[in-house]
Amino acid sequence: MSAHSPLQRATLWALGWIERYRYIKFGIVGASGTVVNLVVLYLGHEYVFNAIEASYKKPYFSLALAIALATLNNFTWNRLWTWSDRVQTLEAEEAAPRVSLRMLGTEFGQYVTASAFGSALQYVLTLLLSGSMDYRLANVIAILAASVSNFLANDRWTFKRREK
């Protein structure tokens, strides 16, 4: 007799399936980054930077902050989940692998560099499209356009397979 209900079995099966497909994990992380991006963009544009951005009708400062925080969110989750099998660690005598701040900084620098084209594309497309549609919709369209280049760059450089 199984200890899991049909819903629990289906959920476990779905999680196992997702675990096998890196691009789907990247997409889920990207979706969480999109939420972070949109929340920060909205709060920044409507409240934090309202006095500065209201006269321009474009979200310059809040968009830069939204992209920065979403990038930090995405790096963290992609490192811990999407490419966890490729993350560099120090060989340690203890059972738990260790990560140096230098190694982490290098990976983050590579991640930011690899994602820079996508971020620039997102920024420019959002500003261009926000002239003819709501800035939030413009931002979502721009994020989707940048996601493929971000995945390929990070898969092949930041978290590339390492020779053992």
Side-chain angles (χ1 to χ4, degrees):
M1 182 173 182
S2 175
H4 298 293
S5 72
L7 179 59
Q8 288 172 323
R9 283 195 303 273
T11 301
L12 290 171
W13 177 86
L15 290 173
W17 185 83
I18 289 169
E19 186 64 29
R20 290 190 300 269
Y21 297 98
R22 197 178 306 273
Y23 190 74
I24 292 172
K25 293 193 300 188
F26 180 78
I28 291 169
V29 169
S32 78
T34 300
V35 171
V36 169
N37 188 296
L38 289 172
V39 168
V40 172
L41 177 64
Y42 175 77
L43 293 174
H45 189 64
E46 299 297 328
Y47 300 104
V48 178
F49 301 112
N50 189 35
I52 300 169
E53 294 180 339
S55 62
Y56 296 111
K57 299 289 187 213
K58 298 224 186 228
Y60 294 106
F61 299 109
S62 56
L63 181 57
L65 181 62
I67 290 171
L69 291 180
T71 299
L72 183 59
N73 172 82
N74 290 359
F75 169 74
T76 301
W77 288 112
N78 277 319
R79 187 176 192 288
L80 293 173
W81 188 44
T82 309
W83 284 285
S84 62
D85 61 317
R86 296 184 188 176
V87 169
Q88 296 181 19
T89 59
L90 297 172
E91 296 301 321
E93 293 180 16
E94 309 94 52
R98 296 181 310 134
V99 178
S100 74
L101 288 178
R102 181 180 177 158
M103 201 177 290
L104 188 62
T106 298
E107 279 182 347
F108 184 68
Q110 288 176 318
Y111 185 88
V112 169
T113 301
S115 300
F117 175 77
S119 294
L121 177 65
Q122 176 193 344
Y123 190 87
V124 170
L125 278 177
T126 299
L127 293 178
L128 289 173
L129 294 173
S130 67
S132 61
M133 65 180 66
D134 183 79
Y135 69 92
R136 292 164 290 208
L137 178 60
N139 191 235
V140 170
I141 292 169
I143 289 168
L144 291 173
S147 70
V148 172
S149 68
N150 284 347
F151 176 80
L152 293 173
N154 284 296
D155 188 61
R156 291 188 169 87
W157 185 45
T158 307
F159 301 110
K160 70 181 177 182
R161 286 185 174 85
R162 310 271 185 226
E163 297 297 322
K164 294 187 181 194

